[in-house]
Amino acid sequence: MDETATHRFSAQAKRSLQQRLLGWFASEARDLPWRNTRDLYSIWVSEIMLQQTQVATVIAYYERFLARFPHVCALAEADEHEVLRLWEGLGYYRRARQMHAAAQRVRSHHGGQFPTTFEEVLALPGIGRYTAGAILSIGRDERLPILEANTVRVLSRLTAYRGDPLSRQGQKFLWQTAEELLPEQHSGHFNQALMELGAMLCTPRSPSCLLCPVNTLCLTRKAGLQNEIPQAKKPQQFEAVTEAALVLRRADGCVLLRRRKANERWAGMWDFPRFPLSAPPGSKRNRQLREETLRLTGQSITRTAPFATIKHGVTRFRITLEVMAATVSQPQSATLPTDTEFAWLQPEEMPARALSTTGRKIAQMLRMPVP
Ligand code: ADE
C-alpha cells in the first residue's frame, strides 16, 4: 500500500460523523468566553490570541483586551504601545502589531465594520486561510474549512493519513478533507468541534479513544496506529547563542531603555540595549561591549560589571543573556541615534512600559532591594 494513500468517507459515514461531532460539541464543549459571541471582531481577537498560545493563558488576555478595545475602531485609534502593553506576556508580538494595522484598515476600507467576505477578511494583515475560515465559519456559519494543529491531528487520524501532514501533499489532502466533511449548516460548530476534540480527547499522546464520539469511524483506531499517526515532526535543531543586555546607569539613577525597531525581534517593545556577543570573555569581549554600546546608544562606557545571567529560548535559539552594568558618567544625548526611541527611566517607571520578557525580568531585578 502507498504509505500516503488517502481516504474518502462514504456519504453515510460523513453524515454520521457530522451528527456525532455536533452532538458531542453541544453537550461537552468547554464554556470559553469567545464561544458566547457572534461578533466577528471578538472572534478575530480570540483566534489571533489562540495562535501558538494555550486556551488557559488566552482567557484573561482576551477579556482584558476586549474590555479596553470593545470595538475594532477603539483598537484602530489606540496607540501601538498600549496594544503591545496589553499583549505583553503572550509572545509573538507581531500578531499584535498586525492586528492594530488590520483594525486601521477595517476603519479606512470598511467603514469600521469587520468585513464579511472571505477575500476581504483574507486581505487583512496577519490573516491567513485558517483565520479567515475560522472567523467567518464561527461568526456567520459560512461553509469554510479550517486546518490548524488540533485539526491536523484529528483529520490525520480519522483518515489514517500516514505521510507528513505538514508537507505540501499532506496539507492539500487535509484541507480537502476538512472541506469535504463540512456539513451544509452549523459549520462554525463543526469546526470548533474538530478543534475541541483535538484539544480534549484526540491528544498527541495517549488519546482517549474510548470517550471519542467518532471512534468507530476512525481508521487509525481500527488499525491501532494512534502512536504512529500523525507522523512525528522532525526534531527541532537548537542553536546556542550568547547576547548582552546593558544596564546603563546615569548619576541620577536613571537607566537607558531603547524601543526596538520595526525590523527587529520584539518590534515596538521597550528593552535594555541588547546585541549578540561573539567575543570570548576577556579583553576582546570588553572591547566588543564598549563598541556595540557606542554604536547602539551613542554612550561611551569604560568598564562593565556582570549583573545577571538569564537563559531563555526564542524560536530555535537557546540564548544565554549576559546582563552587564555600566555607569555613564557623561550621558550623551546628542549622540543618541535618531532612528530609535530612547528613554532614561528610574526603575519604578519601567513597569508601565511594554517590555520584552527579559527586559521585564531585568527591570524587576533593578527594583529589588540590595541585600
Ligand atoms: N484554537 C484555535 N481556535 C480555537 C477556538 N475557537 N476554540 C478553542 N481552541 C481554539
Side-chain angles (χ1 to χ4, degrees):
M1 190 178 90
D2 170 6
E3 71 154 15
T4 57
T6 50
H7 175 72
R8 296 270 172 268
F9 288 97
S10 69
Q12 193 193 3
K14 216 163 81 173
R15 242 189 337 271
S16 173
L17 187 126
Q18 291 164 350
Q19 283 168 358
R20 291 195 224 171
L21 270 179
L22 286 171
W24 175 79
F25 186 72
S27 63
E28 302 297 326
R30 288 168 292 175
D31 182 17
L32 302 173
W34 47 89
R35 290 193 173 153
N36 302 316
T37 180
R38 306 288 307 251
D39 173 48
L40 298 183
Y41 165 69
S42 306
I43 296 168
W44 172 49
V45 172
S46 73
E47 288 300 336
I48 299 294
M49 287 187 170
L50 284 160
Q51 290 168 11
Q52 342 264 1
T53 313
Q54 302 277 334
V55 166
T57 309
V58 166
I59 293 174
Y61 279 91
Y62 172 82
E63 290 182 332
R64 263 193 305 153
F65 198 89
L66 282 184
R68 173 61 189 89
F69 307 124
H71 187 270
V72 66
C73 289
L75 177 58
E77 281 153 23
D79 185 66
E80 184 191 89
H81 181 259
E82 191 184 359
V83 180
L84 287 171
R85 181 72 186 91
L86 276 174
W87 205 271
E88 199 192 299
L90 270 181
Y92 303 95
Y93 298 98
R94 203 172 127 88
R95 294 182 294 177
R97 299 175 76 232
Q98 286 187 320
M99 271 193 84
H100 189 223
Q104 290 173 342
R105 186 178 159 99
V106 171
R107 188 180 52 177
S108 61
H109 286 58
H110 303 287
Q113 294 298 314
F114 200 88
T116 54
T117 71
F118 183 69
E119 288 70 27
E120 286 170 331
V121 175
L122 197 61
L124 297 173
I127 296 193
R129 184 176 177 188
Y130 162 75
T131 308
I135 295 169
L136 293 175
S137 66
I138 296 172
R140 292 173 61 88
D141 255 333
E142 296 277 350
R143 201 169 169 277
L144 291 165
I146 58 152
L147 192 64
E148 43 68 80
N150 282 317
T151 44
V152 161
R153 187 168 58 255
V154 169
L155 297 176
S156 299
R157 285 203 177 126
L158 276 172
T159 58
Y161 181 74
R162 303 202 63 167
D164 174 359
L166 301 181
S167 67
R168 183 190 287 261
Q169 192 190 20
Q171 286 285 298
K172 184 166 171 224
F173 168 68
L174 293 171
W175 273 108
Q176 240 166 30
T177 306
E179 188 155 14
E180 273 175 31
L181 291 180
L182 276 177
E184 290 300 324
Q185 289 177 328
H186 311 301
S187 292
H189 281 165
F190 183 80
N191 282 339
Q192 291 182 84
L194 283 176
M195 290 194 272
E196 192 75 353
L197 191 72
M200 305 308 290
L201 301 180
C202 196
T203 47
R205 273 173 292 283
S206 311
S208 304
C209 299
L210 287 176
L211 299 176
C212 175
V214 290
N215 56 11
T216 57
L217 297 164
C218 179
L219 296 190
T220 293
R221 179 162 189 258
K222 205 171 187 175
L225 292 172
Q226 291 93 323
N227 291 329
E228 283 74 42
I229 295 176
Q231 193 184 95
K233 283 191 214 145
K234 288 187 202 80
Q236 174 75 270
Q237 298 292 315
F238 293 109
E239 191 179 328
V241 294
T242 305
E243 297 185 8
L246 281 159
V247 176
L248 289 182
R249 219 189 291 260
R250 258 185 350 200
D252 63 358
C254 283
V255 172
L256 187 66
L257 294 188
R258 75 182 277 279
R259 194 159 180 211
R260 292 183 154 270
K261 292 197 284 188
N263 59 351
E264 295 179 10
R265 201 203 269 159
W266 311 312
M269 312 288 283
W270 287 88
D271 205 353
F272 293 84
R274 180 173 166 146
F275 45 84
L277 260 185
S278 49
S283 59
K284 282 200 179 132
R285 178 167 287 187
N286 289 339
R287 203 172 98 192
Q288 190 184 15
L289 285 166
R290 280 198 308 274
E291 286 175 0
E292 287 292 325
T293 304
L294 187 62
R295 186 186 62 78
L296 205 60
T297 69
Q299 308 300 311
S300 298
I301 54 171
T302 47
R303 262 173 1 104
T304 56
F307 180 75
T309 301
I310 300 174
K311 292 196 182 262
H312 70 121
V314 180
T315 60
R316 67 190 176 83
F317 298 103
R318 290 289 166 265
I319 303 176
T320 301
L321 183 64
E322 299 294 358
V323 187
M324 310 297 290
T327 305
V328 187
S329 43
Q330 290 179 315
Q332 304 287 317
S333 50
T335 53
L336 286 172
T338 51
D339 63 346
T340 314
E341 281 182 69
F342 287 93
W344 288 101
L345 297 179
Q346 291 289 348
E348 309 79 71
E349 296 174 295
M350 293 177 184
R353 303 278 168 142
L355 291 164
S356 72
T357 307
T358 49
R360 186 155 299 278
K361 274 197 188 141
I362 300 168
Q364 263 160 8
M365 291 179 203
L366 291 177
R367 288 187 300 140
M368 285 195 289
V370 181

